[in-house]
Amino acid sequence: MVLKVVKYGDPVLEQKTEPVTEFDTPELRKLVDDMFDTMYAAKGIGLAAPQVGVTKQVTVIDISAGEEGGEKLVLINPEIVERAGSQLGEEGCLSIPGFREDVKRAMRVKVVAKNVKGETQELDAEELLSRCMQHEIDHLNGVLFLSHLSPLKRDLIRRKIRKLQKAGEW
Ligand code: NI
Protein backbone atom coordinates (compact mmCIF):
# COMPACT_ATOMS: atom_id res chain seq x y z
CA MET A 1 0.00 0.00 0.00
CA VAL A 2 1.37 3.38 -0.99
CA LEU A 3 1.41 5.77 1.97
CA LYS A 4 1.47 9.56 1.98
CA VAL A 5 5.00 10.99 2.21
CA VAL A 6 5.27 13.64 4.89
CA LYS A 7 6.83 16.88 3.67
CA TYR A 8 9.28 19.27 5.26
CA GLY A 9 7.52 21.45 7.81
CA ASP A 10 5.79 18.54 9.54
CA PRO A 11 7.34 18.23 13.02
CA VAL A 12 7.39 14.41 12.77
CA LEU A 13 10.42 14.74 10.46
CA GLU A 14 12.47 16.43 13.16
CA GLN A 15 11.63 14.13 16.06
CA LYS A 16 13.78 11.34 17.41
CA THR A 17 12.44 7.85 16.75
CA GLU A 18 11.95 4.85 19.02
CA PRO A 19 13.79 1.56 18.53
CA VAL A 20 11.74 -1.41 17.37
CA THR A 21 11.38 -3.96 20.18
CA GLU A 22 9.03 -6.54 18.64
CA PHE A 23 10.16 -8.30 15.49
CA ASP A 24 8.58 -10.62 12.95
CA THR A 25 5.12 -9.18 13.65
CA PRO A 26 2.44 -8.61 10.98
CA GLU A 27 2.52 -4.87 11.82
CA LEU A 28 6.26 -4.58 11.23
CA ARG A 29 6.11 -6.62 8.01
CA LYS A 30 3.25 -4.44 6.75
CA LEU A 31 5.09 -1.23 7.62
CA VAL A 32 8.16 -2.41 5.69
CA ASP A 33 6.10 -3.57 2.68
CA ASP A 34 4.19 -0.28 2.61
CA MET A 35 7.42 1.68 2.88
CA PHE A 36 8.87 -0.16 -0.14
CA ASP A 37 5.63 0.45 -2.11
CA THR A 38 5.74 4.14 -1.17
CA MET A 39 9.43 4.51 -2.01
CA TYR A 40 9.09 2.81 -5.41
CA ALA A 41 5.97 4.83 -6.25
CA ALA A 42 7.94 8.01 -5.58
CA LYS A 43 10.98 6.65 -7.49
CA GLY A 44 13.17 7.06 -4.43
CA ILE A 45 16.17 4.99 -3.34
CA GLY A 46 15.56 5.18 0.40
CA LEU A 47 12.79 5.95 2.86
CA ALA A 48 12.68 6.30 6.64
CA ALA A 49 9.64 5.62 8.81
CA PRO A 50 9.18 9.25 9.97
CA GLN A 51 8.58 10.12 6.30
CA VAL A 52 5.36 8.12 6.51
CA GLY A 53 4.56 9.55 9.94
CA VAL A 54 5.88 6.62 12.01
CA THR A 55 8.44 7.47 14.71
CA LYS A 56 10.19 4.09 14.66
CA GLN A 57 13.76 3.21 13.72
CA VAL A 58 12.94 1.60 10.38
CA THR A 59 14.38 2.43 6.96
CA VAL A 60 14.16 0.76 3.58
CA ILE A 61 16.73 1.18 0.82
CA ASP A 62 17.08 0.07 -2.79
CA ILE A 63 19.60 2.18 -4.67
CA SER A 64 18.38 0.69 -7.97
CA ALA A 65 14.98 2.38 -7.27
CA GLY A 66 13.29 -0.92 -8.11
CA GLU A 67 15.24 -2.01 -11.18
CA GLU A 68 15.51 -5.71 -11.84
CA GLY A 69 18.39 -7.17 -9.87
CA GLY A 70 18.30 -4.40 -7.31
CA GLU A 71 18.82 -5.25 -3.68
CA LYS A 72 16.12 -4.48 -1.12
CA LEU A 73 17.61 -3.58 2.24
CA VAL A 74 15.70 -3.20 5.48
CA LEU A 75 17.60 -1.52 8.30
CA ILE A 76 15.91 -1.60 11.69
CA ASN A 77 17.51 0.09 14.73
CA PRO A 78 20.55 0.82 12.54
CA GLU A 79 23.80 2.15 13.91
CA ILE A 80 26.83 3.40 12.04
CA VAL A 81 29.80 1.74 13.74
CA GLU A 82 32.55 2.81 11.33
CA ARG A 83 33.04 5.69 8.88
CA ALA A 84 35.93 6.27 6.48
CA GLY A 85 36.85 8.75 3.78
CA SER A 86 34.58 11.39 2.38
CA GLN A 87 32.51 12.09 -0.71
CA LEU A 88 30.70 15.13 -2.03
CA GLY A 89 27.63 14.49 -4.11
CA GLU A 90 24.14 15.65 -4.93
CA GLU A 91 21.40 14.59 -2.55
CA GLY A 92 17.66 14.99 -2.43
CA CYS A 93 14.86 13.79 -0.18
CA LEU A 94 11.31 12.64 -0.90
CA SER A 95 10.17 14.91 1.94
CA ILE A 96 11.83 17.94 0.34
CA PRO A 97 10.81 17.49 -3.30
CA GLY A 98 12.36 19.72 -5.93
CA PHE A 99 15.51 20.57 -3.98
CA ARG A 100 18.86 18.89 -4.52
CA GLU A 101 22.18 20.02 -3.11
CA ASP A 102 25.72 18.75 -2.71
CA VAL A 103 26.22 17.11 0.67
CA LYS A 104 29.47 15.86 2.16
CA ARG A 105 29.24 12.32 3.55
CA ALA A 106 31.58 9.52 4.59
CA MET A 107 32.69 7.46 1.58
CA ARG A 108 32.37 4.18 3.44
CA VAL A 109 30.32 3.09 6.43
CA LYS A 110 29.79 -0.06 8.39
CA VAL A 111 26.26 -0.36 9.72
CA VAL A 112 24.87 -2.80 12.25
CA ALA A 113 21.10 -3.23 12.03
CA LYS A 114 18.30 -5.72 12.58
CA ASN A 115 16.17 -7.17 9.82
CA VAL A 116 12.42 -7.76 10.03
CA LYS A 117 12.99 -11.06 11.84
CA GLY A 118 15.18 -9.36 14.41
CA GLU A 119 18.40 -10.92 13.14
CA THR A 120 21.49 -8.75 13.41
CA GLN A 121 23.14 -7.88 10.11
CA GLU A 122 26.41 -6.11 9.49
CA LEU A 123 26.62 -4.16 6.25
CA ASP A 124 29.59 -2.53 4.55
CA ALA A 125 28.66 0.16 2.07
CA GLU A 126 30.45 2.69 -0.10
CA GLU A 127 29.64 5.50 -2.50
CA LEU A 128 25.90 5.86 -3.21
CA LEU A 129 24.78 3.10 -0.85
CA SER A 130 26.89 4.57 1.94
CA ARG A 131 25.42 8.03 1.24
CA CYS A 132 21.90 6.64 1.23
CA MET A 133 22.38 4.80 4.54
CA GLN A 134 23.76 7.95 6.18
CA HIS A 135 20.84 10.00 4.86
CA GLU A 136 18.22 7.50 6.08
CA ILE A 137 19.86 6.99 9.49
CA ASP A 138 19.92 10.80 9.87
CA HIS A 139 16.13 10.75 9.40
CA LEU A 140 15.81 8.41 12.40
CA ASN A 141 17.55 11.08 14.47
CA GLY A 142 15.28 13.82 13.19
CA VAL A 143 18.03 15.20 10.94
CA LEU A 144 17.37 16.28 7.35
CA PHE A 145 19.97 16.82 4.63
CA LEU A 146 19.35 20.56 4.96
CA SER A 147 21.26 20.40 8.26
CA HIS A 148 24.41 19.51 6.33
CA LEU A 149 24.25 22.62 4.13
CA SER A 150 25.75 26.03 4.83
CA PRO A 151 23.38 28.27 6.85
CA LEU A 152 23.05 30.50 3.79
CA LYS A 153 21.92 27.70 1.48
CA ARG A 154 19.67 26.24 4.15
CA ASP A 155 17.90 29.56 4.75
CA LEU A 156 17.44 30.09 1.02
CA ILE A 157 15.74 26.71 0.65
CA ARG A 158 13.63 27.28 3.79
CA ARG A 159 12.44 30.61 2.40
CA LYS A 160 11.53 29.03 -0.94
CA ILE A 161 9.60 26.29 0.86
CA ARG A 162 7.78 28.85 3.02
CA LYS A 163 6.67 30.64 -0.15
CA LEU A 164 5.44 27.35 -1.62
CA GLN A 165 3.59 26.61 1.64
CA LYS A 166 1.89 30.02 1.58
CA ALA A 167 0.90 29.49 -2.02
CA GLY A 168 -0.58 26.09 -1.08
CA GLU A 169 1.89 24.38 -3.41
CA TRP A 170 3.73 22.33 -0.80
NI1 NI B 1 15.21 11.82 2.97
Side-chain angles (χ1 to χ4, degrees):
M1 190 173 86
V2 175
L3 305 172
K4 187 171 177 281
V5 177
V6 171
K7 283 190 187 167
Y8 178 75
D10 189 316
V12 75
L13 290 175
E14 294 179 78
Q15 282 169 17
K16 278 212 77 161
T17 52
E18 297 292 324
V20 172
T21 52
E22 283 183 75
F23 294 89
D24 218 8
T25 61
E27 293 77 19
L28 183 59
R29 279 196 296 272
K30 180 163 172 32
L31 173 64
V32 166
D33 287 347
D34 288 348
M35 284 175 64
F36 272 115
D37 290 346
T38 306
M39 180 183 83
Y40 289 137
K43 299 196 166 32
I45 61 170
L47 190 74
Q51 295 182 275
V52 292
V54 178
T55 52
K56 291 271 180 200
Q57 291 179 15
V58 178
T59 83
V60 299
I61 290 173
D62 178 352
I63 56 166
S64 81
E67 293 292 307
E68 210 177 310
E71 193 185 2
K72 292 169 83 172
L73 291 173
V74 180
L75 306 184
I76 301 175
N77 305 346
E79 208 182 319
I80 298 173
V81 294
E82 277 178 45
R83 304 167 186 265
S86 76
Q87 56 173 323
L88 186 68
E90 206 181 44
E91 216 167 284
C93 180
L94 294 179
S95 294
I96 314 174
F99 295 92
R100 297 184 67 82
E101 291 291 339
D102 279 346
V103 177
K104 194 177 164 203
R105 298 280 187 185
M107 176 56 99
R108 286 178 299 280
V109 290
K110 187 193 284 286
V111 172
V112 175
K114 302 279 189 193
N115 63 17
V116 174
K117 290 181 178 168
E119 298 160 340
T120 301
Q121 36 178 359
E122 199 177 277
L123 301 131
D124 288 295
E126 56 178 22
E127 300 192 356
L128 180 60
L129 183 57
S130 167
R131 170 179 299 284
C132 188
M133 286 180 179
Q134 291 169 76
H135 177 113
E136 300 314 328
I137 293 171
D138 266 359
H139 270 299
L140 303 183
N141 293 309
V143 174
L144 302 170
F145 84 87
L146 299 183
S147 303
H148 295 283
L149 305 180
S150 70
L152 211 69
K153 265 194 181 155
R154 186 164 57 234
D155 287 347
L156 188 68
I157 292 179
R158 281 197 183 133
R159 274 207 299 277
K160 284 182 182 168
I161 292 174
R162 228 170 279 142
K163 260 191 198 162
L164 290 169
Q165 286 169 330
K166 275 189 190 146
E169 291 165 11
W170 187 251

